[in-house]
Amino acid sequence: MRQRIAVVGSGPAGLTFARVLHRHDYPVAVLERDPAPDARPPGGTLDLHEGLGQLALDKAGLLAEFQALSRPEGQAMRILDADGTVLRDWRPRPDDRANPEIDRGQLRDLLLGPLDVRWGRGVTQVVPGTRDGVLVHFADGQQETFDLVVGADGAWSRTRPAVSSVTPHYTDVTLVETSLDDVDTRHPDLAQLIGDGSLAVYGVNRALVAQRNSGGHVKVYAQFRAPLDWHTNLDLADVEAVRSSLLALFDGWAAPVLDLLRHGTAFVHRPLYVLPVSHTWTHVPGVTLLGDAAHLMPPLGAGANLAMLEGAELAESIATGPGDLDEAVRAFEEQMWARAGRWAKITTAGLERLVSPDPAEALALFDQVQPS
């Protein structure tokens, strides 16, 4: 008799887990607090690595569909000095498929496919060790039991407390996100400045990054070191006040670079939180974690990739393994902890160099990863 399995969260980790199980004709309940797939903006773009996110999609039987949707040209990277001088202008080869970009919304829709997601099922608590299995409490007061609950519910996971008392801590780095729409038509100079992929400008303890999405949409991220309460005297809902504050923070930078902020349509505050670099827990039968719920790290291209591969690997272990669910989960956790710990060290060190007192550190990091 097959076990009752639930995954909490319909992000890349949870959907990849469910999709691989579905491919093996294995039932899984996907529990999502949002009332519908389009209830919130899906976010920006992701670069999926050949040995991580793309491998996960291959396990789900979706690699060809991903390749048709992805943007290999989005791998391009341009780095400017604060005065507008082009320091690096790297462009991928025509056949380069190492880290092509895909919009988060497109990836979500690709993974959703035939899955039956229980929308509007916000989980408030997960209680292991009951007589009937793992008890899941929902926001509407209902309850349900499962043999395995997989927490793929992100940074502020409601599943995590079932296995770990650790909570995320602030990195001292804040992001403020804005967007440009129809950039090629409305802002052709900025479109040319950004190029086909990403643009980054580094200064002392701050940076501006612009990243192309599909359809002429661009996400812009102002990054800077600041106390968590840096905005105490600023109304974050006041677009013009936030814009003025950011322009003052980047005062003296080249005018074309500052136009990324001048033309932004709205601003979203995103302080960066992380979990400890080597976050592990004592195994709890019936509950485990994936992705940000397990190993929240700086957003430097690894998190979603790791999360998807973890989801795919755990699903394969469950669907094709010898049948001992708890042993499959134990083995998965050991493998996940080791790999995630390595990436957490890399991304933590990377954030220190990208938002640094010495902007040359960011350029040196780029040259290590992608020699010019």
Side-chain angles (χ1 to χ4, degrees):
M1 183 177 177
R2 286 186 172 176
Q3 297 94 339
R4 302 164 296 170
I5 297 176
V7 60
V8 184
S10 67
L15 291 182
T16 304
F17 173 74
R19 194 64 193 266
V20 173
L21 281 180
H22 181 273
R23 191 183 189 195
H24 290 278
D25 297 319
Y26 209 105
V28 57
V30 182
L31 310 174
E32 170 54 52
R33 66 179 181 180
D34 285 347
D38 57 356
R40 289 182 295 148
T45 182
L46 293 170
D47 60 318
L48 294 192
H49 304 188
E50 276 182 322
L52 297 172
Q54 290 186 58
L55 178 57
L57 289 173
D58 192 28
K59 292 177 181 293
L62 298 171
L63 186 58
E65 292 177 61
F66 163 76
Q67 291 171 338
L69 289 169
S70 67
R71 293 175 285 106
E73 71 279 5
Q75 297 170 97
M77 184 70 187
R78 180 175 289 164
I79 299 179
L80 272 60
D81 204 348
D83 64 6
T85 303
V86 178
L87 302 176
R88 299 289 186 273
D89 192 0
W90 183 83
R91 303 178 190 187
R93 300 184 311 274
D95 62 344
D96 192 336
R97 297 292 186 274
N99 308 293
E101 299 280 342
I102 187 170
D103 288 8
R104 281 182 176 269
Q106 292 175 319
L107 179 63
R108 175 202 61 200
D109 293 344
L110 174 62
L111 289 167
L112 274 173
L115 295 178
D116 184 15
V117 177
R118 300 188 193 177
W119 300 104
R121 300 296 284 159
V123 171
T124 57
Q125 188 181 14
V126 174
V127 182
T130 73
R131 185 179 61 182
D132 296 323
V134 181
L135 181 63
V136 175
H137 294 260
F138 295 100
D140 61 5
Q142 296 187 35
Q143 301 176 357
E144 191 171 352
T145 53
F146 298 91
D147 298 301
L148 174 65
V149 176
V150 178
D153 45 348
W156 305 103
S157 170
R158 297 299 184 92
T159 312
R160 188 190 300 124
V163 299
S164 172
S165 61
V166 172
T167 56
H169 63 271
Y170 179 51
T171 60
D172 297 324
V173 175
T174 280
L175 268 62
V176 179
E177 173 192 313
T178 190
S179 300
L180 305 172
D181 291 314
D182 198 13
V183 68
D184 299 287
T185 302
R186 298 175 61 185
H187 309 291
D189 291 345
L190 286 180
Q192 187 174 4
L193 183 72
I194 296 164
D196 291 332
S198 297
L199 169 77
V201 190
Y202 298 104
V204 176
N205 286 327
R206 67 205 65 194
L208 276 176
V209 177
Q211 196 171 35
R212 270 194 184 264
N213 293 223
S214 62
H217 186 74
V218 171
K219 291 284 188 185
V220 178
Y221 305 93
Q223 308 174 3
F224 49 94
R225 292 195 175 274
L228 190 55
D229 62 353
W230 69 273
H231 55 84
T232 299
N233 298 317
L234 180 66
D235 181 1
L236 291 174
D238 185 337
V239 172
E240 293 309 318
V242 176
R243 191 192 317 279
S244 296
S245 177
L246 292 176
L247 289 172
L249 184 66
F250 292 91
D251 184 43
W253 287 34
V257 172
L258 294 182
D259 281 343
L260 295 168
L261 299 174
R262 291 192 181 102
H263 296 299
T265 52
F267 294 91
V268 182
H269 181 219
R270 300 193 187 283
L272 294 186
Y273 286 84
V274 294
L275 286 168
V277 165
S278 298
H279 178 229
T280 63
W281 55 88
T282 301
H283 174 75
V284 175
V287 185
T288 194
L289 306 173
L290 300 174
D292 286 352
H295 48 70
L296 180 65
M297 59 186 73
L300 300 184
N305 279 277
L306 289 173
M308 291 174 66
L309 184 57
E310 290 160 8
E313 289 175 341
L314 178 58
E316 277 192 341
S317 295
I318 292 170
T320 64
D324 188 324
L325 184 63
D326 194 55
E327 282 304 310
V329 172
R330 282 178 183 270
F332 159 76
E333 288 174 339
E334 294 291 339
Q335 178 176 307
M336 173 180 63
W337 291 334
R339 183 171 55 209
R342 291 193 299 270
W343 277 101
K345 289 178 183 176
I346 292 169
T347 55
T348 298
L351 183 64
E352 289 298 314
R353 298 179 72 182
L354 291 177
V355 190
S356 158
D358 182 4
E361 280 293 310
L363 193 63
L365 178 61
F366 173 80
D367 286 341
Q368 282 181 242
V369 176
Q370 189 64 68
S372 57

